[in-house]
Amino acid sequence: MSTPVLIRDVRPSDVESVRLFLGENGWAHRTGSSEHFAQLIANSQRTALAIKDSHIVGFARGITDDLSNGYLSMVVVCGQTRREGIGRLLVEHVMGDNTAITWVLRAGREGASDFFSKLGFETSTIAMERSRLK
């Protein structure tokens, strides 16, 4: 029998462990210093942490006005626990149950479009973006 996964909000005491988890899973370019990442988490209205066997196995964060619009910024699941439904649980936790919110995301990583399509996301023909300076 598989060990259950706990999905919960990120706590202040989790922030550095989450930053290290993201670095180990190919997201170091998006975390920055400990201080930068702590501010990134503090400025996110919604976060989700997946814990299995006392280890972080997934993370997601979103930015929203809680009324109309939301942006799903990160969804990361470690390779060993992919295809166990953890990504879906993280996304559901971040998005909540308000179906009046339109959620958007960037799905540029390999396999991301297929994953998010299964969660009801569709490719948009109206979205535009202004990329950050490198």
Side-chain angles (χ1 to χ4, degrees), residues 67-132:
L67 295 171
S68 180
N69 299 300
Y71 172 64
L72 193 57
S73 177
M74 286 183 183
V75 178
V76 181
V77 177
C78 71
Q80 301 91 310
T81 58
R82 287 195 186 135
R83 306 191 86 56
E84 293 182 16
I86 295 169
R88 173 182 291 275
L89 293 172
L90 290 166
V91 170
E92 289 172 351
H93 184 90
V94 168
M95 290 186 351
D97 57 7
N98 184 348
T99 58
I101 298 175
T102 297
W103 287 89
V104 297
L105 57 87
R106 297 173 72 193
R109 290 195 171 227
E110 184 178 329
S113 291
D114 291 338
F115 170 74
F116 288 109
S117 291
K118 292 175 186 170
L119 299 179
F121 285 84
E122 299 174 354
T123 302
S124 173
T125 58
I126 60 171
M128 298 176 72
E129 72 177 333
R130 178 177 158 185
S131 296
R132 69 177 68 88

Side-chain angles (χ1 to χ4, degrees), residues 31-95:
T31 60
S33 68
S34 295
E35 296 79 18
H36 176 86
F37 187 69
Q39 189 65 51
L40 207 131
I41 295 299
N43 291 350
S44 300
Q45 287 85 14
R46 301 198 185 169
T47 60
L49 189 61
I51 300 171
K52 183 176 182 177
D53 295 326
S54 301
H55 298 288
I56 295 173
V57 295
F59 168 77
R61 76 180 188 100
I63 303 164
T64 182
D65 57 23
D66 282 326
L67 295 171
S68 180
N69 299 300
Y71 172 64
L72 193 57
S73 177
M74 286 183 183
V75 178
V76 181
V77 177
C78 71
Q80 301 91 310
T81 58
R82 287 195 186 135
R83 306 191 86 56
E84 293 182 16
I86 295 169
R88 173 182 291 275
L89 293 172
L90 290 166
V91 170
E92 289 172 351
H93 184 90
V94 168
M95 290 186 351

